[in-house]
Amino acid sequence: MSNWHRHLPNELDPSEIELTSGETLPTVWVSNWKNEPERTVIHDPSLGWITAGDLLDRSEVIARRLAKVGVELGDRVLLSATSSAELVAAHAAALRLGAVVVPTNGAYRADEVTHVISDARPKIAIVDRPEWSDWIQSCDSTVLVTNPSVDLEDGPSVQLDQIGARASALIGYTSGTTGLPKGVELTNRNFFSFLPVASEEWYFDSDSVNLVAMPLFHIAGSGWGVVGLFNGGTNVLLREADLVELLQLVETYQVTNALLVPAILQFLLITPEAQETDFSSLRCMIYGASPITEEVLSASMELMGCDFVGAYGLTETTGGGTLLRAEHHDPGGPRAHLLRSAGQPWADIELRIVDPETFVDLGDGEVGEIWIKSVVTLKSYWKDPDATDEAYPEGRDAEGLGWFRTGDAGYMSEGFLFIHDRVKDMIISGAENIYPAEVENALMSHSDVADVAVIGVPDAKWGETVKAIITPAQGTDPSEADLIEHCRERLAHYKCPTSVDRLSMIPRNPSGKILKTELRKPYWED
């Protein structure tokens, strides 16, 4: 392994940090950066290596400038920029003032941008997308900034606000696969409650070289980056989902920790450069944010040769939920069936499987809605008390703890969670409930299928019937009859597709989730 980072002090041990009710993200970041100013903490694609001292200085400058335009405790600061050291500094600067960061998807178009702006009402929007200017400027209350170092005047020194652990730190807008995005309000306590445990479970320490490949507007990117900064290691930023660049970063900077979505792992398997990449520095590959098939998982494990850990969680649970630890990955072994599971709850997380209509708890093997109870669950949906109450149907105690409805369907077996699908994506054909993920897993085991999405489409007899939409593997042309028969060999007939369509690419959002609303639309329009 390259020793470029070994000369730096190696003193930060997360287990020695006593988390108190008043501890916040900015207090720990600022403390870490002050204690080791020469430590390399970020590799930026444009700026190169950034030290803790550089990042601290930049965050202080931006904090002064934000304060100059009136940003204060509780104000929202919208950030929509390509992953960079400057974006991390702006994030830290906003939190130092007690403001709430609103990381936003740069792929949003006019309606989506104006929805977030009108919903969050940020005092300032820091963006690097020129096409957003008119959309944001149409909202009177928001100041548009493309570069805080140029567009804003410097102000006087600012003190780190005394912010409570339950103060909001971030409003993350959900992916919107079922409608307009909702703002998920997360607190400092949400993040801090799992940081030490996540560090251990995800193989982090102060020597970690952490690949931040997910966009920072997504909890899988921002949360992953927070764990890296918490530990004091180095974070290598990937700006775009360029597979060749990703492979080069892993090898060049001897990456030790990485999180990738299954879609990226799937595409890496057919990227020629991956076969020549040296993955020996990797301690652990975390995968999550969308379902993965056994074939993709097993092949990825063989390619990279490191420990794999599966993670299931939501924006509403600060990314926490369950883990399928490395020791439970056993392709071809006596417990190979666990590769289909999402693992076990971790940290303080409790799980229930509940009938979504009656709220009655279900037994092992029975499919129902997954409910989670933990300090990682959201404070609220921003300005939406009805949605918050619906998410916590049994209420919350004085500590803010209650059972949160995930909207995901699954069952428990042997203490492991097996996820079927989103409750809202469930297909009801006749009186039978069909979960698309089960059908998709069966189709992905066909050698001629590169990608697949399964949806329900109208049927005069049964109400809905199952349609598969596939992307054929390169150089293949599987027939509809062959694919349906392949499913019938593996699943009850009522679960199998009755028709198969083709697309050159299955549409997904930036976190890798299939956009099923988009796929269903043409079949349900009339």
Side-chain angles (χ1 to χ4, degrees), residues 19-27 95 163-170 185-196 226 316-318 347-348 373-380 392 396-402:
L19 300 181
T20 68
S21 61
E23 208 145 38
T24 62
L25 293 177
T27 60
L95 293 179
I163 309 160
R166 297 195 192 184
S168 298
L170 181 145
E185 196 172 0
L186 300 176
T187 67
N188 283 279
R189 186 178 77 154
N190 289 143
F191 284 98
F192 265 100
S193 63
F194 77 91
L195 280 172
V226 164
E316 289 91 336
T317 62
T318 325
D348 77 321
K373 186 176 183 180
S374 167
V375 293
V376 301
T377 61
L378 78 163
K379 176 181 180 179
S380 67
Y392 290 103
R396 288 183 279 182
D397 62 22
E399 292 298 311
L401 298 179

Side-chain angles (χ1 to χ4, degrees), residues 25 78 93 133 135 172-173 193 199 207 276 307 364 407 474 498 500:
L25 293 177
L78 184 142
S133 297
W135 308 335
Y173 278 80
S193 63
S199 299
D207 278 336
E276 308 301 323
D307 281 354
D364 270 17
Q474 189 171 6
T498 57
V500 179

Side-chain angles (χ1 to χ4, degrees), residues 107-148:
Y108 277 174
R109 306 310 298 162
D111 288 349
E112 296 159 313
V113 173
T114 53
H115 166 71
V116 171
I117 293 285
S118 62
D119 190 59
R121 289 292 173 187
K123 182 162 284 186
I124 192 165
I126 301 174
V127 304
D128 63 357
R129 287 158 175 78
E131 68 273 21
W132 281 33
S133 297
D134 291 341
W135 308 335
I136 292 175
Q137 288 171 345
S138 67
C139 302
D140 297 336
S141 63
T142 301
V143 177
L144 172 67
V145 174
T146 56
N147 185 340

Side-chain angles (χ1 to χ4, degrees), residues 27 33 36 62-63 101 107 117 137 140 166 169 177 231 242 264 267 290 303 348 385 407 420 457 516 520:
T27 60
W33 299 341
E36 301 182 277
I62 297 175
V101 172
I117 293 285
Q137 288 171 345
D140 297 336
R166 297 195 192 184
T177 54
N231 281 276
D242 183 318
I264 295 297
F267 289 125
S290 61
L303 172 69
D348 77 321
H420 268 246
V457 295
K516 298 215 171 162
R520 280 192 291 261

